Amino acid sequence: MRTGTSKADAGQGRGHSSPFFRRNPVLFIILLGVLLLVSALVSVLVGTLGPIGPGHPERISFSQAVDALFGGGGDMYVTVFWELRIPRVLLAGLVGASLACAGTAMQAVFRNPMADPFIIGVSSGAAVGASSAGLLGLTALVGVAAPALAFVCALATVMVVYKMGTVGGRVYVDTLLLSGVALAAFLGAVVSFLIYFAGEDYHQLIPWLLGSLAAARWSYVAMIAVPAVAGTVTVLLFGRELNALLLGEETAHNLGADPEFLKKIMLMTAALMTAGAVAFCGIIGFVGLIVPHMMRIVVGADHRKLIPAATLFGASFLIWADALSRTVIQGEELPVGIITALCGGPFFLYLLRRSRGTGVMS
Amino acid sequence: MKLEVSNLSYSFYGRKVLREISFEIGEGEFLGLMGPNGSGKTTLLRCLTRYLPEATRAILVDMKPLHTLSDREVASTFAVVPQSSSTDFPFTVKDVVLMGRIPHIRSRIASTSRKDIEVVSAAMEVTGCASFADRPFSELSGGERQRVVIARALAQAPKALLLDEPTVYLDISGQLEMMDLVRRLNQEQSLTVLAVLHDINLAARYCDRIALLSQGSLEAIGPPEEVINSDTILNVYGVDVAVRKDPFTHDVFVMPRTVRSRASRDGMRVHVLCGGGSGGPVMRQLVDSGCSLSTGVLNVLDSDYECASDLQIPIVAEVPFAQISDEANDENLKRIDEASAVVVSRFPVGPGNFKNLEAAMYALDKGKRVMVMSGGGPPSIDFIGGKADAYIKRLVEAGATLVEDVEDLIRQLAGTEAVA
């Protein structure tokens, strides 16, 4: 999309020429798409049984790997690639995209660049669900029961937070934010309590609490794909209105957008996307917070460019993080949430320092 | 566009914020909306934009009731410029102006059309923000931001511009630039303007008509020179002002005096002999200290005459530039009879008003306390060759007290009161 007026650019004497990708956002988004495809392909090849990654006695070559991708080279390879690796990479992409897109939407609804997808209590609610599943004897990370319970508890928590923040049909985002924080603290205590009594089952819960893609399977991919795709499309359709919302609810109203409807549909969509991601993969922090930030630096704040950029880059980001989690320690697998937090924390601090000069968190 | 508001009332948690407001705005009119804080100005604007949707039946836009319009139609009827706009997000100026097109873009999928871009460019050109179109909005100065917001409002292609105290955060040059820009748009594009303004003088200067709100009711509406007078301003704001006409533009403007209640005027009765602008500060401070004043003889058009009428002090008046007549002098002496003290300000004395000095001697003869303001120098400004100075000396010999300044005067008067 080009909105540039040549006169405006010519009249700018202060060397305030906008960065290349800000003037060519479509090109940037296409590049992000290419990056995502390449990342997915590379990530499939990364791992203990793959041509890339730490040494292993049964390391295979590229040609063997490509062969296996097309069903050759024996049952074990087919299983590794088609039953484990490919669903896992797809899951990483969908979860990363969901978190980044939901994070962008939340930051717009709360008009606060510090907001993340978990701000309205999704993660704390899901944690209660997942840990009580352990206590109820439902094996935490196998099957559908535990994710289902996590999903339901996540949405129930969001409903409570939403009710607390809504007075007379109006959503008050400040109240919503504080309710989210308060409820998260309360539910954190509930989770601690449940873990205390979980005994041995506690160990099964750790990967979930730290965020992990290890349980990936095709059924998960299918179930997450629905909220991920539908949610992203929904958020995209409201790009213009989200822009207006960032200048205040009254301004949004005066520009013909309905801020109440907008807040409700965005909260609902982001909650569903996040709950889906959390239910299957646990609490993967920082993706939803920093990916929108990084993309804003490149394409600016306009949601019609920001949402596709953040969604695509969020997918790539989590795919890399997952590839790293599989390879960084030989023979071990780190929960991916540790990787995202290890990368995300320092990067976030860097952003904070960077924004001090301008007072703008971008 | 014609806007009609009839019997608009609005309550918030049982408190009446607007009471039966009725008025009309014609095509291309510039209406100022004024009133104290909490008088309902912003609420009225919000009723118009339907941000407060409860009262829409009382509002007709081009004969159509406001509640029959869609959100987009309302947003392409009224464009709002708030007090200030800010965001923590890195929108460029162009991004912000482009938001003005939202009510005109029907499809959620469609990208920005050529027409939208043309409208946005024209709006930035007119408001003078084309030169910084690519700068981040949040890095602009307050005045620049308001221009961008006006550009956004123009991009809405509205029928009327609603401004809610658009100049409060701007310095004086920013205020004038802003108001000049709005008036230019009002005149060149015959854009109807409804502006909430706090600055009475700014409003009087730019508005065709002014609507004055007080506690949710429409107190007055009409041209500035009708609406702005010391009575309405005192009623609505509780502030004493003098209303004058700018000698260059003939716009009315107000000069605030003090915030006071007029009830506390039952103090000591003092008659002030003054003229030529010497009596203004004396009278004001005596009024503030609770004295009940009278003054005379003053020529109409004398600045002390205007000052006394602003303070609503009884004046013994004489026609402009005339000598003090016997009738006026007699009335003046009658006032002195009623007073318990007489103050002679340091006024210029000529043949026309010499009787005012003689009146002071009359007061001494009647046993009144007489205070002569010396101001540190010669007590009078003598235009009759020393005759006035000599007369003042005689007054002092006859028992008048010389006082340094107004504070000294008030102290001395307080002493008099204690004795009396």
Side-chain angles (χ1 to χ4, degrees):
Chain A
M1 195 209 64
R2 287 195 46 198
T3 56
T5 56
S6 53
K7 195 175 267 178
D9 292 338
Q12 184 52 257
R14 292 201 234 171
H16 227 295
S17 65
S18 47
F20 178 75
F21 283 131
R22 219 174 259 211
R23 279 177 283 128
N24 301 284
V26 174
L27 178 64
F28 181 67
I29 288 163
I30 290 170
L31 285 179
L32 283 178
V34 173
L35 174 75
L36 177 57
L37 287 177
V38 173
S39 307
L41 198 64
V42 171
S43 181
V44 166
L45 300 176
V46 168
T48 312
L49 256 180
I52 309 171
H56 187 273
E58 290 171 66
R59 172 181 279 282
I60 57 173
S61 68
F62 270 104
S63 56
Q64 280 174 297
V66 172
D67 203 26
L69 279 179
F70 291 101
D75 277 351
M76 185 178 78
Y77 292 137
V78 174
T79 308
V80 165
F81 283 105
W82 281 101
E83 293 304 321
L84 297 177
R85 207 64 66 66
I86 292 175
R88 181 169 182 156
V89 169
L90 286 177
L91 192 69
L94 287 169
V95 168
S98 296
L99 292 176
C101 182
T104 312
M106 286 298 184
Q107 291 175 0
V109 167
F110 286 92
R111 292 195 296 284
N112 186 340
M114 300 291 171
D116 77 2
F118 303 141
I119 199 163
I120 48 171
V122 173
S123 57
S124 39
V128 171
S131 42
S132 50
L135 200 67
L136 290 170
L138 308 163
T139 328
L141 285 166
V142 181
V144 178
L149 199 55
F151 186 80
V152 169
C153 288
L155 289 187
T157 310
V158 170
M159 294 293 277
V160 173
V161 171
Y162 179 81
K163 279 278 169 232
M164 302 293 280
T166 310
V167 181
R170 280 209 169 178
V171 180
Y172 293 88
V173 290
D174 299 346
T175 320
L176 206 63
L177 188 134
L178 291 176
S179 318
V181 171
L183 208 62
F186 172 76
L187 293 178
V190 173
V191 171
S192 303
F193 179 82
L194 290 173
I195 287 175
Y196 190 79
F197 285 101
E200 284 299 300
D201 289 340
Y202 166 60
H203 293 289
Q204 283 184 307
L205 206 58
I206 290 179
W208 189 92
L209 285 173
L210 297 176
S212 169
L213 295 157
R217 63 197 62 196
W218 280 108
S219 59
Y220 287 9
V221 173
M223 281 185 278
I224 281 191
V226 176
V229 173
T232 305
V233 170
T234 309
V235 177
L236 261 175
L237 287 179
F238 288 91
R240 279 198 182 87
E241 279 99 327
L242 287 177
N243 288 347
L245 192 62
L246 283 182
L247 275 111
E249 289 178 20
E250 188 165 356
T251 296
H253 168 86
N254 292 337
L255 291 170
D258 180 348
E260 292 307 318
F261 175 71
L262 195 56
K263 282 185 287 184
K264 282 169 194 164
I265 191 147
M266 284 301 114
L267 287 170
M268 208 167 73
T269 309
L272 283 171
M273 291 170 93
T274 314
V278 168
F280 293 108
C281 307
I283 302 162
I284 301 174
F286 280 100
V287 179
L289 181 62
I290 61 167
V291 168
H293 275 295
M294 296 167 94
M295 290 303 104
R296 249 185 233 113
I297 294 172
V298 184
V299 297
D302 183 352
H303 282 89
R304 287 169 307 144
K305 307 162 196 166
L306 179 61
I307 293 159
T311 307
L312 290 171
F313 188 70
S316 297
F317 182 84
L318 200 59
I319 287 173
W320 300 333
D322 179 53
L324 207 60
S325 78
R326 280 184 270 136
T327 50
V328 74
I329 299 173
Q330 193 179 338
E332 274 281 343
E333 199 175 282
L334 276 179
V336 72
I338 294 180
I339 307 278
T340 58
L342 281 177
C343 304
F347 182 75
F348 192 72
L349 289 176
Y350 159 76
L351 285 177
L352 269 178
R353 293 296 300 178
R354 186 180 171 275
S355 69
R356 271 185 64 90
T358 57
V360 180
M361 193 71 195
S362 54
Chain B
M1 186 211 65
K2 190 176 179 195
L3 176 70
E4 289 165 71
V5 176
S6 47
N7 275 323
L8 171 62
S9 295
Y10 180 81
S11 299
F12 186 72
Y13 288 117
R15 193 172 70 88
K16 280 216 159 196
V17 187
L18 294 175
R19 299 159 200 266
E20 291 161 15
I21 302 226
S22 301
F23 66 94
E24 286 180 15
I25 309 179
E27 173 94 38
E29 198 182 352
F30 195 138
L31 180 72
L33 190 57
M34 296 185 34
N37 291 334
S39 58
K41 306 179 296 289
T42 302
T43 305
L44 178 55
L45 286 196
R46 286 180 171 166
C47 287
L48 293 179
T49 61
R50 235 166 52 179
Y51 190 62
L52 300 173
E54 292 87 348
T56 49
R57 275 162 210 277
I59 299 162
L60 290 178
V61 177
D62 283 333
M63 312 303 283
K64 270 189 260 174
L66 192 61
H67 69 272
T68 61
L69 304 183
S70 70
D71 282 353
R72 280 162 190 274
E73 281 173 320
V74 173
S76 42
T77 303
F78 299 115
V80 180
V81 177
Q83 290 181 358
S84 67
S85 303
S86 66
T87 173
D88 288 338
F89 291 81
F91 285 111
T92 63
V93 167
K94 213 159 41 188
D95 287 335
V96 173
V97 180
L98 198 55
M99 290 179 198
R101 297 306 296 166
I102 291 175
H104 298 278
I105 301 174
R106 301 239 159 248
S107 161
R108 295 188 176 282
I109 307 164
S111 64
T112 314
S113 72
R114 191 172 204 89
K115 192 199 166 203
D116 295 323
I117 291 165
E118 278 166 15
V119 172
V120 165
S121 304
M124 290 197 295
E125 207 65 57
V126 159
T127 51
C129 32
S131 61
F132 47 87
D134 290 316
R135 279 178 62 194
F137 179 70
S138 52
E139 287 176 15
L140 303 180
S141 72
E144 286 169 330
R145 277 192 214 183
Q146 286 299 67
R147 261 151 66 195
V148 174
V149 173
I150 291 197
R152 184 185 70 199
L154 292 179
Q156 283 174 260
K159 293 174 179 164
L161 203 55
L162 309 182
L163 302 110
D164 190 0
E165 296 174 30
T167 58
V168 269
Y169 296 115
L170 305 183
D171 61 24
I172 185 156
S173 80
Q175 292 180 3
L176 292 174
E177 250 173 49
M178 176 82 192
M179 294 304 290
D180 280 336
L181 172 62
V182 173
R183 183 162 64 181
R184 191 156 53 83
L185 296 171
N186 167 249
Q187 289 172 348
E188 288 173 6
Q189 312 191 0
S190 64
L191 190 61
T192 308
V193 175
L194 175 58
V196 172
L197 294 169
H198 256 322
D199 187 324
I200 301 174
N201 295 337
L202 216 55
R205 183 164 168 174
Y206 288 97
C207 300
D208 299 328
R209 284 195 303 155
I210 286 176
L212 197 56
L213 282 182
S214 175
Q215 294 173 5
S217 303
L218 191 59
E219 191 72 18
I221 184 166
E225 58 273 18
E226 278 177 26
V227 171
I228 297 174
N229 58 58
S230 50
D231 284 338
T232 51
I233 301 298
L234 184 73
N235 278 342
V236 171
Y237 290 94
V239 175
D240 242 327
V241 296
V243 179
R244 296 277 184 277
K245 261 192 176 176
D246 184 321
F248 300 109
T249 63
H250 283 200
D251 292 326
V252 291
F253 66 96
V254 298
M255 294 184 292
R257 299 289 188 225
T258 68
V259 181
R260 67 183 160 84
S261 73
R262 296 196 166 191
S264 67
R265 280 209 190 173
D266 43 10
M268 183 180 180
R269 300 209 52 166
V270 177
H271 187 77
V272 181
L273 299 164
C274 58
S278 64
V282 181
M283 290 190 283
R284 189 180 63 76
Q285 291 195 40
L286 287 177
V287 165
D288 282 350
S289 71
C291 292
S292 173
L293 296 190
S294 57
T295 184
V297 178
L298 290 171
N299 292 105
V300 175
L301 293 187
D302 189 312
S303 59
D304 279 344
Y305 176 88
E306 293 194 354
C307 185
S309 42
D310 286 341
L311 290 167
Q312 301 195 329
I313 295 168
I315 307 164
V316 182
E318 185 52 86
V319 294
F321 308 112
Q323 287 209 359
I324 294 174
S325 62
D326 288 339
E327 292 79 19
N329 193 43
D330 288 346
E331 204 191 328
N332 204 27
L333 300 183
K334 220 178 281 168
R335 289 286 182 184
I336 289 173
D337 288 339
E338 292 162 7
S340 44
V342 171
V343 173
V344 183
S345 78
R346 191 168 167 268
F347 62 92
V349 185
N353 64 349
F354 190 72
K355 279 185 179 146
N356 276 349
L357 277 187
E358 291 176 336
M361 189 61 89
Y362 169 83
L364 280 171
D365 289 345
K366 287 277 179 174
K368 310 279 180 192
R369 187 91 196 263
V370 176
M371 313 284 198
V372 180
M373 310 276 300
S374 71
S380 72
I381 303 165
D382 195 329
F383 288 100
I384 41 180
K387 206 176 146 196
D389 283 343
Y391 199 87
I392 286 190
K393 239 174 237 159
R394 277 179 56 200
L395 282 175
V396 174
E397 282 160 15
T401 316
L402 271 178
V403 291
E404 288 271 319
D405 51 22
V406 186
E407 279 167 36
D408 191 16
L409 171 69
I410 289 169
R411 242 189 335 265
Q412 299 260 7
L413 281 175
T416 309
E417 198 166 23
V419 171

